[in-house]
Amino acid sequence: MQNISFTLNDKLVKVSVEPQETLLDMLRERLDLTGTKKGCEKGDCGACTVILDGEAVNSCLVLAVQVDGKSVTTIEGLEKDGELDPIQQAFIDKGAVQCGYCIPGMILSSKALLDKNPSPTEEEIRTSISGNLCRCTGYVQIVDAIKSLVK
Amino acid sequence: MNDLTYIKPQNLQEALAELSKKNEATYILAGGTDILISLKEGNIKPQYLLDISELSEIKGIKQEGEYLVFGAATTMQSIAESPIVKEKLPCLVSAAIQMASPQIRVRATIAGNLVTGSPIADTVPMFRALDTVLEIQGTGKKREVKLDDFILGYRKVDLAAGEMVTAFKVPLLKANQKANFIKVGRRNALAISVLNMAVKLTFAADKTVESARVVLGGVAATSVRAKNLEAFLTGKKMTEEVVLEAGNVVLQDATPIGDIRATAEGRKVLLSSRMVRLLEEFIN
Amino acid sequence: MNERILGKEVKRVDARDKVTGRLKYAGDLRVPNLHYGKVLFSAYPRAKVLSIKTDKAAALPGVKKVITYKDVKGPNKWGYTNKDRFLLVPEGELTRYVGDSIAFVVAETEKVAQEALKLIEVEYEPLKAIGTTEEAADPGAPLIHDYASGNICVVREAVHGDVESAFTQCDYIVEEDVDIPRIEHAFIETESGIAYVDGLEGILHVYSCLQDPYYPAWDISHALGIPQGKVHVKATLLGGGFGGKLDTTIQAFLAAMTYYSGVPVKLVLTREESIRFHNKRHPAKIHVKVGATKDGKILAMHGRIITDAGPYHDRTAEVLGLMVHALSGAYHIPNLDLKGTAYYTNNLCCGAFRGFGDPQGALGRELTLNSLARTMGMDPQELRAKNFLHDENVIFEDRPVRLEQIKEKMDSYLGGPLPAPSGPNKVVGRGFSFDKPIFDISSTPSLGKSGVGAAVEMFQDGSVIVHSGITEMGQGYKTIISQIVAEELGVDIEEIQVDLGDNISAPRAGRTSASRGSFVGGNSVILATQKIKETLLKRAAIELDCNKDAVELGYKKIYLKDMPERSVPTKDIAMKCFQEGIKLREESWFKHHKPFVSGHTYTCAGAEVEVDTVTGEVTVLKLANIHDAGKVLNPQTARGQMYGAALQSFGYALMENIPCEEGFPKARSFSEYKIPTALDVPSLAIADFIENPYPLGPYGAKGMGEHGINGSTPAIVTAIGNAIGKKFNKLPVLQEDIVNAIKG
Ligand SMILES: Cc1cc2nc3c(=O)[nH]c(=O)nc-3n(C[C@H](O)[C@H](O)[C@H](O)COP(=O)(O)OP(=O)(O)OC[C@H]3O[C@@H](n4cnc5c(N)ncnc54)[C@H](O)[C@@H]3O)c2cc1C
Ligand code: FES
Ligand code: FES
């Protein structure tokens, strides 16, 4: 076991992890943050997307030990004092959510985009979520939701 | 698997020292987008994982004389965003940005892409076509090898125990040179390539092709130089007819197999039609 | 009617929990002392299991129990239609596909369970697998089930008139062979769940992602030999279903794991396991011959379908039945001779998948009719218009709108001249398709779905709980039911609790499939709320000192019709009922009076594509679906259903396929099995509706979950063909196929 400490949703946390444990498993199994989803464990679906130091990554392809000293944002970290992040609200308002299984990953991928680029084109929006598979929506209302936030 | 140790060296020297100290079960971890899957599937049983992903000495892109030098741990995303690459070698941006997904591109490195030895690694054909030279370091020794010579066979590369790829030295394009890349996947993102292909042409003053480097991925056990096509193009003017004919000639350079992504026949059709598309841009 | 909430863009009631990550899906659940299960699937599609040795696995530290057939006390069989699958294949028996289960491991961690799997020693005698329908039909072929001679799973026919003589009167006859692949649901949530036996009543609880809680409960009770009353199955909110979680998946595994190990167990399939295990959409080889007179009247159709059911019957009879009927589809064809045959093979198992046979049938039909139109030199729209099925031909009590009406709406989106191509070597084309699926959205008596119940209760504080056996898989049922109850009982959506997919708390409701959820669930909930409303009105009339007929239930109050200012809050009446022992809990039983399918809907799909003539690359510029919805209960979720279905068809047309080679699937991951990403799908997706209320539907609504998928695939395939002046009869249409077609 190895001890690590990192910023998780704006709070410093200390965790003991196995060296081969993925960030995804640490979040879900050790910290019970199950908003981060598991769909393939191979980088193929994006359901496990979290933001690591400002970048959207597949948490199934990052080792827990690798986030030592870094900052991780999961879907649970977006709501602040009962106030939803504008992206979360936009997803609700535009009907972007169906089964919802891809949604945490979608929201974090689009958040990583909008944080860096507040005025993306449709192409940039679609690219930003191109690593996140959704089988329900055809992406139509998801793209609408992200577009509605373009400055 | 339980006795795995994760090591994160602070600098390149330390990394090389660790690499030479430890045994054969030491694996380099760069972006992890390939090796973590092998680890999970139990295909490799490392004792030590040496994380080089944040070693500043082998990250980043800088110009050194007639070369652009890429640190081996440079990610696809940094290539895609790099102003200097966009300006000097946009063909590499094209290769990097079509690879996988945004989440993978921020982690995946060029060395990782190369060292896996995969025949359809997306940045390899372009680096090869550009005549890239690799810098390889072990403790106390440093060597350079042409990328063409580095690839030995299916998932086999010229890397000894204790060695690490540290840089990619890419000659800048001269005024009379042009290069480009095409990827063929089954969808527009997250697509392991069915094929990929890269080309670099050097033109003589009379606009005939002085020399050609064409590299194909996905048509053989490794990426391969399309020697027949290169010979065919050399000395020719790039006309529509030549380009169309090139689409046929390139088939002599390919011995594709069939898999879930395409049949062998399908690959040939795609190779031929996409080569036409790739070379169309060179018609002058 | 002037509805307060229905027909409005009410935000989904489950959306907030989903965007915050708070919602627990099946794989997120936990209970104390939770252990982890793993399934040892058969290493071969067809092999004799000679011996199973578990000692080493059982001895691994952390392993609680290794379970084989020897542990199973009941009949050890499960399955839909026929209980013909072993829960655990015994020694001496044959495996039938790579999704058969040989042993279960229960361990303290998933990792230990995984390690233990590798220590189970199974000796197989591999046998040659039946890998194609041709091999299955070979007279010398071994039988996959003793009861199925010729390896025939089921035959379905639709015959009327005299096809042979009708063909002699035709001026034009065309024949087409359409080849359709097997495809995968690719829900992003794999099969998952937890199970435990409680210490109160000894009830076995299974919480899992599923589309029908009742059938798995039966499968569990049957396989393990325990009374159904001891089995509680509750559907969690699904991370996608699309038919792939319709029949029992891992629920019987979970039940056996916890029952025989004595500890709570979680089981989550990996993507690879999910792909090998669950039912797929049936592949089909369709031959259609169709004949018409020179003025475009279709006189006869002869159709043959061969499909590969995989090793178990499951839903094949139903799916094939629909596929056969879909061959004539939305057209009136006086002479029909249609027949479909499904064979057992050792390939992946096939079953329900959004559209349920109609997507395949629609492809066979629409592609052949386009070919007929081409041969005749007739506009394909005109050919269709001449043969549309109208009320004059068949009487539907649900009075579908006329197809012309739908076509007109389609033209407003995809009419007029074609847009100019975006560059050299580019061509543009359009394709259309019409469909009239016959999903059984009713509650007619076929297997386990006769009658649909619901229970509704109003509490003394005026809040309401609904128990419905229909499940929420993303389609928005929970929201629709909340809207209906809010409308019916004049309460706020926030005051309504909707408890779904529970075989014990909810009266039997059958499956959530066939686009029937809102129709049957909505109707049964309305029946129950109406009884409650009656009781409330009666009691309020006493309070308001008037006749019951003089009062009306409005938003949060009951008032005098001709003196609305005299009113009493509904919740006060609820309290009175509570205090006086008046029942405010009602159960309903919705049973359709007609013994057959209902809710016929017409749809039209249109696609506009651009094709690169050098590379064969296809860009779908527009994909539109017009749907005869009856009544749109929530426009936002309705559009969502149409978009989602239409864009699944995009994948069907252009990239999806899961072939099997001698029983082994050729795709094992989402890297090998590709579904469209946001960069692939058309950026202009259109969904629009025609509302013509269906008297039997809740507020006039018909089904809509599946319709978008049927027409869109042939529309895209046809558009590609039209763009380059060729036809495609094989899916998926790949770039190399297009290049070859252009060249050849
Ligand atoms: C979902 C998904 C999609 C993908 N799509 C694509 C795609 O479209 N195109 C494509 O080309 N690839 C794709 N890949 C494969 C992979 O992402 C790339 O090959 C990537 O570039 C690997 O780089 P990495 O830094 O992540 O390598 P790692 O996984 O860290 O390492 C890979 C191998 O290289 C070795 N290595 C790494 N760096 C060095 C070094 N400096 N010196 C010596 N050895 C080294 C490691 O020891 C290991 O054996 C995909 C992978 C996934 C999971
Ligand atoms: S679970 Fe990580 S990408 Fe699918
Ligand atoms: S909403 Fe179901 S997968 Fe995206």
Side-chain angles (χ1 to χ4, degrees):
Chain A
M1 297 290 265
Q2 200 160 327
N3 296 322
I4 59 167
S5 66
F6 65 104
T7 308
L8 175 60
N9 298 329
D10 298 332
K11 286 196 197 74
L12 194 67
V13 293
K14 290 188 165 56
V15 195
S16 265
V17 298
E18 303 273 1
Q20 72 273 26
E21 184 172 325
T22 61
L23 173 56
L24 173 62
D25 282 339
M26 174 181 72
L27 291 170
R28 290 180 56 85
E29 306 300 328
R30 280 190 206 281
L31 304 171
D32 201 23
L33 291 176
T34 54
T36 307
K37 299 296 174 211
K38 192 182 262 194
C40 69
E41 294 181 81
K42 289 184 176 181
D44 292 325
C45 77
C48 66
T49 302
V50 300
I51 297 179
L52 175 60
D53 282 351
E55 305 280 3
V57 300
N58 302 117
S59 62
C60 68
L61 292 183
V62 176
L63 293 177
V65 287
Q66 291 186 288
V67 304
D68 192 20
K70 298 192 190 310
S71 170
V72 175
T73 305
T74 70
I75 193 68
E76 290 89 351
L78 261 51
E79 187 180 354
K80 302 256 153 71
D81 305 321
E83 200 50 40
L84 294 183
D85 187 281
I87 303 181
Q88 293 173 308
Q89 192 60 49
F91 270 62
I92 297 177
D93 292 344
K94 295 289 169 185
V97 181
Q98 289 192 28
C99 83
Y101 205 77
C102 69
I103 294 298
M106 285 286 179
I107 288 179
L108 291 165
S109 285
S110 44
K111 182 173 170 59
L113 169 75
L114 292 170
D115 284 351
K116 275 191 276 186
N117 175 4
S119 328
T121 60
E122 172 158 345
E123 178 78 11
E124 287 167 330
I125 290 173
R126 286 183 179 269
T127 302
S128 78
I129 55 166
S130 64
N132 297 77
L133 298 179
C134 175
R135 190 57 153 171
C136 298
T137 63
Y139 309 98
V140 182
Q141 288 148 309
I142 291 176
V143 172
D144 283 351
I146 305 170
K147 264 193 192 162
S148 74
L149 297 170
V150 170
K151 299 250 155 59
Chain B
M1 202 156 130
N2 279 333
D3 45 12
L4 177 78
T5 306
Y6 169 82
I7 305 169
K8 190 170 175 185
Q10 294 307 307
N11 55 48
L12 181 60
Q13 239 32 58
E14 206 181 307
L16 292 169
E18 290 286 356
L19 202 55
S20 68
K21 223 165 40 196
K22 302 289 191 297
N23 54 23
E24 295 231 314
T26 304
Y27 283 72
I28 292 173
L29 168 69
T33 62
D34 189 90
I35 197 170
L36 290 189
I37 290 174
S38 307
L39 184 71
K40 287 184 201 192
E41 289 182 342
N43 299 335
I44 56 168
K45 299 239 183 302
Q47 246 171 40
Y48 301 96
L49 268 184
L50 193 65
D51 187 346
I52 62 160
S53 63
E54 289 178 51
L55 294 179
S56 56
E57 299 96 319
I58 56 168
K59 285 179 84 78
I61 305 148
K62 54 183 186 293
Q63 188 169 351
E64 283 180 10
E66 290 306 292
Y67 289 91
L68 262 197
V69 180
F70 295 73
T74 301
T75 64
M76 302 297 166
Q77 190 63 25
S78 22
I79 291 179
E81 284 172 356
S82 156
I84 186 163
V85 186
K86 278 186 193 162
E87 184 200 330
K88 311 261 177 186
L89 291 169
C91 54
L92 271 175
V93 173
S94 164
I97 205 157
Q98 289 185 64
M99 185 259 182
S101 67
Q103 293 97 316
I104 305 263
R105 290 196 290 270
V106 294
R107 301 204 55 88
T109 66
I110 50 174
N113 199 227
L114 171 66
V115 174
T116 56
S118 156
I120 36 82
D122 275 330
T123 56
V124 174
M126 196 68 255
F127 276 121
R128 271 188 86 172
L130 291 169
D131 217 353
T132 297
V133 174
L134 298 177
E135 181 193 87
I136 293 171
Q137 296 193 40
T139 28
K141 51 184 193 300
K142 192 189 249 189
R143 65 184 172 104
E144 288 196 351
V145 58
K146 279 181 167 278
L147 181 43
D148 263 346
D149 302 328
F150 181 74
I151 296 167
L152 301 176
Y154 181 68
R155 297 202 175 271
K156 262 183 70 184
V157 293
D158 173 21
L159 202 62
E163 280 189 329
M164 179 192 300
V165 180
T166 47
F168 287 49
K169 292 170 67 176
V170 187
L172 290 170
L173 289 175
K174 304 204 173 67
N176 63 338
Q177 294 180 321
K178 271 176 85 176
N180 215 345
F181 169 82
I182 275 188
K183 163 174 178 141
V184 187
R186 286 299 181 203
R187 59 184 174 191
N188 295 331
L190 270 179
I192 301 289
S193 292
V194 175
L195 295 171
N196 48 29
M197 54 191 82
V199 73
K200 173 176 150 184
L201 299 184
T202 306
F203 292 95
D206 64 354
K207 292 198 171 172
T208 57
V209 175
E210 191 176 281
S211 69
R213 288 180 66 86
V214 184
V215 184
L216 311 175
V219 298
T222 67
S223 63
V224 289
R225 290 275 299 278
K227 299 276 187 184
N228 290 295
L229 180 58
E230 290 176 0
F232 168 79
L233 293 174
T234 306
K236 297 224 168 49
K237 271 210 168 98
M238 293 299 284
T239 62
E240 216 160 292
E241 298 73 63
V242 168
V243 168
L244 279 179
E245 186 52 25
N248 295 325
V249 174
V250 73
L251 293 176
Q252 299 165 21
D253 293 305
T255 49
I257 55 163
D259 61 16
I260 181 74
R261 287 181 260 280
T263 60
E265 273 315 300
R267 277 203 165 79
K268 286 187 184 165
V269 174
L270 291 168
L271 174 63
S272 180
S273 59
R274 290 306 170 90
M275 186 53 78
V276 171
R277 171 54 42 85
L278 180 58
L279 293 176
E280 271 172 2
E281 295 166 33
F282 295 79
I283 293 176
N284 50 26
Chain C
M1 231 180 300
N2 195 3
E3 287 100 14
R4 185 169 60 89
I5 289 178
L6 276 161
K8 306 276 163 22
E9 295 219 342
V10 172
K11 302 300 165 225
R12 295 181 63 111
V13 297
D14 52 2
R16 195 176 171 104
D17 284 347
K18 287 176 174 175
V19 300
T20 53
R22 254 196 309 267
L23 180 78
K24 296 284 183 191
Y25 293 83
D28 302 334
L29 297 172
R30 266 193 200 182
V31 292
N33 196 29
L34 189 60
H35 283 59
Y36 293 82
K38 276 302 251 184
V39 180
L40 182 68
F41 288 106
S42 174
Y44 299 96
R46 185 163 176 269
K48 186 167 189 176
V49 177
L50 300 175
S51 68
I52 308 168
K53 292 210 182 70
T54 60
D55 320 9
K56 283 183 195 158
L60 188 72
V63 170
K64 178 80 185 169
K65 175 93 183 166
V66 181
I67 300 161
T68 67
Y69 73 98
K70 289 181 185 152
D71 299 287
V72 181
K73 304 295 183 297
N76 188 28
K77 293 278 190 78
W78 63 286
Y80 185 81
T81 306
N82 302 330
K83 299 234 178 281
D84 55 2
R85 302 171 78 127
F86 284 114
L87 178 62
L88 287 161
V89 181
E91 288 166 306
E93 293 283 352
L94 298 187
T95 67
R96 297 194 175 95
Y97 85 124
V98 292
D100 278 330
S101 36
I102 310 284
F104 303 140
V105 174
V106 175
E108 283 166 14
T109 67
E110 203 165 7
K111 207 164 277 159
V112 172
Q114 179 67 46
E115 287 301 307
L117 274 194
K118 295 184 202 142
L119 298 177
I120 299 175
E121 294 156 300
V122 184
E123 206 186 329
Y124 296 97
E125 181 193 331
L127 302 166
K128 188 179 163 7
I130 298 181
T132 63
T133 52
E134 290 80 9
E135 285 169 26
D138 188 295
L143 293 186
I144 288 179
H145 296 278
D146 293 340
Y147 62 76
S149 67
N151 284 316
I152 290 177
C153 170
V154 65
V155 174
R156 281 295 164 109
E157 287 176 296
V159 180
H160 65 83
D162 181 348
V163 167
E164 280 317 303
S165 69
F167 275 126
T168 63
Q169 293 157 35
C170 293
D171 303 303
Y172 294 96
I173 295 175
V174 301
E175 291 187 57
E176 293 293 339
D177 285 292
V178 179
D179 191 350
I180 303 167
R182 178 188 297 102
I183 70 164
E184 150 75 28
H185 301 78
F187 31 69
I188 312 296
E189 175 204 39
T190 59
E191 295 81 351
S192 12
I194 65 165
Y196 59 91
V197 178
D198 71 36
L200 300 170
E201 315 272 355
I203 289 185
L204 170 59
H205 300 268
V206 179
Y207 292 79
S208 179
C209 43
L210 43 88
Q211 291 177 238
D212 170 356
Y214 307 97
Y215 217 95
W218 183 16
D219 270 333
I220 291 167
S221 113
H222 179 85
L224 304 188
I226 52 180
Q228 267 195 60
K230 283 261 187 232
V231 183
H232 171 216
V233 177
K234 163 94 178 164
T236 52
L237 267 59
L238 284 77
F242 318 116
K245 295 169 182 168
L246 180 56
D247 299 314
T248 306
T249 59
I250 59 163
Q251 292 81 32
F253 300 172
L254 267 169
M257 285 174 180
T258 193
Y259 208 66
Y260 299 126
S261 71
V263 290
V265 179
K266 175 188 262 192
L267 172 63
V268 177
L269 294 192
T270 64
R271 180 59 54 187
E272 192 265 341
E273 291 168 341
S274 170
I275 290 177
R276 78 193 292 177
F277 170 65
H278 76 245
N279 292 352
K280 305 288 176 274
R281 181 182 287 157
H282 292 76
K285 287 196 162 52
I286 304 182
H287 180 88
V288 187
K289 176 179 174 187
V290 63
T293 59
K294 56 178 175 300
D295 58 352
K297 189 80 204 103
I298 301 173
L299 295 185
M301 181 187 270
H302 178 274
R304 290 293 178 267
I305 299 175
I306 303 284
T307 185
D308 176 347
Y312 300 108
H313 194 299
D314 285 310
R315 302 269 172 176
T316 295
E318 298 167 37
V319 170
L320 186 63
L322 250 75
M323 212 186 291
V324 166
H325 282 280
L327 281 184
S328 59
Y331 308 101
H332 178 66
I333 303 175
N335 301 285
L336 289 177
D337 175 4
L338 310 176
K339 180 177 173 187
T341 309
Y343 290 95
Y344 286 125
T345 68
N346 296 115
N347 291 330
L348 294 184
C349 201
C350 292
F353 191 145
R354 196 177 201 166
F356 219 81
D358 198 279
Q360 298 96 316
L363 274 159
R365 176 191 74 234
E366 295 293 303
L367 297 180
T368 307
L369 291 186
N370 286 337
S371 167
L372 177 64
R374 244 188 330 268
T375 307
M376 298 176 68
M378 181 179 265
D379 175 4
Q381 311 307 324
E382 192 188 335
L383 173 68
R384 287 182 170 81
K386 289 196 163 158
N387 295 281
F388 282 155
L389 196 52
H390 288 311
D391 311 20
E392 306 93 71
N393 311 118
V394 175
I395 301 301
F396 296 124
E397 62 182 299
D398 42 332
R399 299 264 155 196
V401 295
R402 297 180 69 88
L403 259 170
E404 284 81 354
Q405 232 175 305
I406 291 186
K407 173 74 175 58
E408 210 176 293
K409 195 148 211 170
M410 175 57 81
D411 286 345
S412 71
Y413 295 107
L414 274 181
L418 282 173
S422 67
N425 298 321
K426 302 265 168 115
V427 289
V428 182
R430 268 191 202 135
F432 296 94
S433 149
F434 295 90
D435 200 53
K436 181 194 67 69
I438 49 166
F439 303 129
D440 184 359
I441 72 168
S442 70
S443 57
T444 54
S446 81
L447 287 164
K449 55 190 168 70
S450 170
V452 174
V456 180
E457 177 163 9
M458 182 177 270
F459 297 106
Q460 60 267 40
D461 64 353
S463 69
V464 180
I465 188 164
V466 181
H467 302 279
S468 166
I470 300 298
T471 64
E472 171 63 62
M473 48 189 175
Q475 82 278 40
Y477 179 70
K478 207 169 179 169
T479 307
I480 295 292
I481 288 303
S482 301
Q483 286 180 262
I484 287 178
V485 172
E487 192 74 54
E488 291 284 324
L489 294 178
V491 294
D492 282 330
I493 284 190
E494 294 70 31
E495 295 174 287
I496 301 162
Q497 182 63 34
V498 184
D499 162 40
L500 295 178
D502 189 315
N503 77 317
I504 287 186
S505 67
R508 195 163 278 275
R511 61 201 207 186
T512 306
S513 68
S515 303
R516 74 197 279 273
S518 294
F519 180 83
V520 294
N523 271 332
S524 59
V525 166
I526 289 175
L527 286 179
T529 53
Q530 279 171 350
K531 291 195 223 169
I532 291 174
K533 199 166 155 181
E534 272 296 303
T535 308
L536 289 170
L537 291 179
K538 244 193 238 164
R539 184 60 189 79
I542 299 171
E543 204 64 20
L544 293 171
D545 198 15
C546 66
N547 193 308
K548 194 206 105 199
D549 298 332
V551 291
E552 199 150 274
L553 189 138
Y555 175 59
K556 296 207 171 214
K557 63 182 181 198
I558 298 172
Y559 57 92
L560 276 182
K561 278 182 199 163
D562 37 18
M563 212 194 295
E565 61 280 8
R566 267 198 70 195
S567 68
V568 50
T570 311
K571 72 180 200 327
D572 292 1
I573 300 298
M575 179 59 86
K576 288 250 153 29
C577 291
F578 167 71
Q579 288 162 343
E580 296 161 17
I582 299 170
K583 183 168 76 134
L584 278 185
R585 180 186 168 102
E586 296 289 352
E587 275 207 7
S588 61
W589 197 244
F590 172 69
K591 210 164 160 135
H592 211 297
H593 63 285
K594 267 284 179 74
F596 197 47
V597 292
S598 64
H600 296 269
T601 50
Y602 280 162
T603 63
C604 176
E608 195 168 282
V609 308
E610 183 170 83
V611 180
D612 186 312
T613 55
V614 174
T615 63
E617 287 164 285
V618 174
T619 310
V620 177
L621 305 169
K622 287 186 189 173
L623 183 58
N625 267 273
I626 311 296
H627 181 61
D628 161 24
K631 157 95 184 170
V632 176
L633 298 175
N634 183 330
Q636 196 174 60
T637 56
R639 282 196 303 274
Q641 283 301 293
M642 298 307 288
Y643 293 141
L647 293 168
Q648 281 182 359
S649 77
F650 174 93
Y652 201 23
L654 294 172
M655 60 180 75
E656 296 182 32
N657 182 12
I658 179 160
C660 289
E661 210 168 272
E662 309 213 329
F664 290 99
K666 299 283 281 173
R668 288 150 303 174
S669 64
F670 275 171
S671 159
E672 293 171 325
Y673 189 83
K674 291 196 162 53
I675 63 170
T677 71
L679 280 173
D680 297 290
V681 299
S683 51
L684 202 54
I686 295 155
D688 204 350
F689 303 95
I690 290 181
E691 295 186 87
N692 179 36
Y694 170 36
L696 295 176
Y699 294 82
K702 300 181 185 182
M704 65 165 60
E706 295 165 279
H707 302 73
I709 210 164
N710 304 315
S712 303
T713 323
I716 294 170
V717 173
T718 301
I720 297 169
N722 288 346
I724 64 166
K726 303 279 175 173
K727 67 177 184 195
F728 294 96
N729 280 356
K730 189 172 185 299
L731 263 59
V733 181
L734 302 175
Q735 294 167 5
E736 54 267 40
D737 302 331
I738 296 173
V739 172
N740 282 335
I742 290 171
K743 286 195 171 148

